Amino acid sequence: MMRKLVLLMAAALIGDGDAFTPILKQGYGSRKMSSTLLAETSQAAAAVSPKEAVKIFGRLAEKYIMLDSSAGMCCYSACADCEFRLPGGGYRMADQSAARPKWIPSYETRQANGKEHSTKWSTKIFTEGPAVSMEEFVEKIQQIEYVPPLGGPYVGASSAAFDNDQALQSFFEILSNGKEKLTRHRMSQRLKELADGEEGLTWAAFSKAFDL
């Protein structure tokens, strides 16, 4: 009788052990799956989405831009050696306007033909000096009012809050080339470079900087 009882108990223990085996394996699999998901999430977070990028563009873009880089010095008289004429011989328009924000001008302030324009980025970001850190850059742009711009996916003003700081931090890196501080002068230069020498950065050029 005792021997039979021992055998029954042993069988029960073996059965329980087998029952627990899949659970242990399942636990290991769950841990492995969690690690994979975390890795995939981190990889996805490394890319800036078009909607997050347009939230930056809609804060910095403007409806008005002064295209006359001569600051009023050009007389528009078709001078043969005029440095302000286009390669084809024509002229750029002195300025241009749009119904919705369309350009991030590369200049800080420009005066021409009795007009003066100070850009939003130069007056809103560099309020306390000629240079900002990444943290200051992020904070300043977040404080700028967002207006749905021309170009990019539509994001309404009610949805303009950033999901996180990643897009802003990436834009800082693009402008500063990895330096700890971004100067007003450096930002002007980089915007001009990103615009391929044009006076303002449109959505097409802006999104290209993010590889969108």
Side-chain angles (χ1 to χ4, degrees):
M1 182 70 179
M2 181 64 68
R3 183 178 179 184
K4 185 175 181 181
L5 181 60
V6 170
L7 290 173
L8 287 172
M9 290 177 64
L13 287 172
I14 293 171
D16 288 344
D18 290 338
F20 279 111
T21 300
I23 296 175
L24 291 172
K25 289 181 179 178
Q26 184 179 358
Y28 172 77
S30 298
R31 289 194 297 272
K32 186 176 181 180
M33 184 178 294
S34 298
S35 299
T36 302
L37 288 173
L38 284 172
E40 290 176 353
T41 302
S42 299
Q43 185 176 2
V48 174
S49 71
K51 284 192 173 183
E52 287 297 286
V54 86
K55 292 174 185 178
I56 301 175
F57 190 72
R59 283 171 165 82
L60 299 179
E62 309 197 30
K63 298 179 181 180
Y64 177 76
I65 187 171
M66 298 187 78
L67 300 171
D68 183 6
S69 60
S70 73
M73 293 175 62
C74 182
C75 64
Y76 292 92
S77 298
C79 303
D81 59 347
C82 178
E83 62 180 299
F84 303 113
R85 294 180 69 177
L86 297 172
Y91 295 94
R92 283 190 177 89
M93 296 175 63
D95 55 8
Q96 202 168 353
S97 298
R100 286 161 57 187
K102 183 179 179 180
W103 309 273
I104 301 178
S106 60
Y107 55 85
E108 300 175 35
T109 300
R110 181 166 287 175
Q111 296 178 340
N113 305 314
K115 297 179 181 179
E116 181 176 354
H117 180 224
S118 295
T119 54
K120 190 187 297 185
W121 66 262
S122 66
T123 57
K124 298 291 186 180
I125 297 176
F126 301 93
T127 57
E128 299 170 7
V132 291
S133 64
M134 179 184 287
E135 291 74 19
E136 292 168 333
F137 181 82
V138 169
E139 181 181 357
K140 294 295 184 183
I141 293 186
Q142 287 175 334
Q143 293 172 354
I144 299 174
E145 181 184 3
Y146 169 84
V147 179
L150 284 173
Y154 180 79
V155 175
S158 61
S159 304
F162 291 97
D163 293 342
N164 51 57
D165 295 342
Q166 185 187 333
L168 290 164
Q169 291 171 349
S170 296
F171 190 44
F172 179 89
E173 292 287 346
I174 290 170
L175 295 173
S176 68
N177 279 345
K179 296 185 182 296
E180 292 185 1
K181 292 278 188 175
L182 173 65
T183 65
R184 185 188 288 112
H185 178 67
R186 179 59 182 164
M187 182 165 177
S188 176
Q189 285 185 322
R190 284 294 288 143
L191 289 174
K192 186 84 169 180
E193 292 169 2
L194 294 172
D196 290 329
E198 297 294 330
E199 299 304 315
L201 200 63
T202 61
W203 168 254
F206 182 82
S207 59
K208 185 179 178 181
F210 286 96
D211 293 325
L212 298 178

